[in-house]
Amino acid sequence: MKKEEKKKEEDKKEEKKKQKKVIAGWMIIPTLFLLLIAIISLTLLFIEISILIITKIFSPVILILLSVNALVLFSSVSALVLEFKRKKGFAIMAILSYWFSFALVILAGFNLEGASIKSSRLIVSILVGVGWTLYFLKSKQVKNLFVKK
């Protein structure tokens, strides 16, 4: 009986060690991407608000840009918080953050460059979104850290 209790205790200790795994390896890259997205989004949000205050022109395009930018900021900061708390919703929030930033690139491209957007910027945004979406959905490390609880 005592052997079984010791075995259970050792299993619990091993489980706690596994839970204390640091975010390392490939997870550093999406973390840095999310941090970069949050910083850029916050900067753009301040710029857009400043433009609205200075020009006092509340065009629908700028208001849509402002709204999407706020979504990008919210989703990227939420993803980072969920990641460091190791919560289950991290992968979904990170995916949303990447796709919201993709939408922001498209909207900003149309707003700043008339009716055209640089194809290289569009392709890079699509590749980043698809790449990280596949990674978060298929990665064993993501599943071990954030999904299997």
Side-chain angles (χ1 to χ4, degrees), residues 22-74:
V22 295
I23 295 171
W26 280 103
M27 285 306 297
I28 288 174
I29 295 171
T31 303
L32 291 176
F33 263 102
L34 287 169
L35 189 59
L36 185 65
I37 288 171
I39 291 168
I40 290 171
S41 183
L42 184 62
T43 304
L44 289 174
L45 206 59
F46 280 126
I47 291 169
E48 290 164 356
I49 291 172
S50 300
I51 289 171
L52 282 175
I53 291 170
I54 292 169
T55 63
K56 296 179 184 172
I57 299 172
F58 294 95
S59 73
V61 175
I62 292 181
L63 293 176
I64 291 170
L65 270 172
L66 195 64
S67 301
V68 173
N69 202 359
L71 278 174
V72 171
L73 180 63
F74 173 76

Side-chain angles (χ1 to χ4, degrees), residues 5-147:
E5 288 176 17
K6 285 183 182 180
K7 177 75 172 155
K8 285 182 182 178
E9 235 177 87
E10 288 175 14
D11 288 343
K12 285 182 182 179
K13 286 180 183 178
E14 285 295 318
E15 186 66 31
K16 284 184 180 181
K17 284 182 184 178
K18 286 181 183 178
Q19 288 179 351
K20 291 183 180 180
K21 285 182 187 176
V22 295
I23 295 171
W26 280 103
M27 285 306 297
I28 288 174
I29 295 171
T31 303
L32 291 176
F33 263 102
L34 287 169
L35 189 59
L36 185 65
I37 288 171
I39 291 168
I40 290 171
S41 183
L42 184 62
T43 304
L44 289 174
L45 206 59
F46 280 126
I47 291 169
E48 290 164 356
I49 291 172
S50 300
I51 289 171
L52 282 175
I53 291 170
I54 292 169
T55 63
K56 296 179 184 172
I57 299 172
F58 294 95
S59 73
V61 175
I62 292 181
L63 293 176
I64 291 170
L65 270 172
L66 195 64
S67 301
V68 173
N69 202 359
L71 278 174
V72 171
L73 180 63
F74 173 76
S75 62
S76 60
V77 170
S78 297
L80 287 167
V81 169
L82 291 172
E83 179 180 13
F84 289 112
K85 287 187 173 185
R86 297 184 195 243
K87 298 290 183 175
K88 192 174 181 178
F90 161 70
I92 298 298
M93 199 55 102
I95 290 169
L96 285 174
S97 177
Y98 290 125
W99 287 106
F100 284 149
S101 62
F102 169 70
L104 187 62
V105 166
I106 291 174
L107 288 172
F110 282 120
N111 186 42
L112 298 175
E113 299 165 13
S116 66
I117 185 168
K118 291 183 180 176
S119 60
S120 60
R121 192 181 300 168
L122 187 63
I123 291 169
V124 168
S125 296
I126 290 172
L127 290 176
V128 167
V130 169
W132 287 121
T133 299
L134 290 174
Y135 175 75
F136 285 123
L137 294 176
K138 302 289 183 183
S139 169
K140 289 181 182 179
Q141 186 175 7
V142 171
K143 287 179 184 173
N144 288 338
L145 286 173
F146 303 106
V147 177

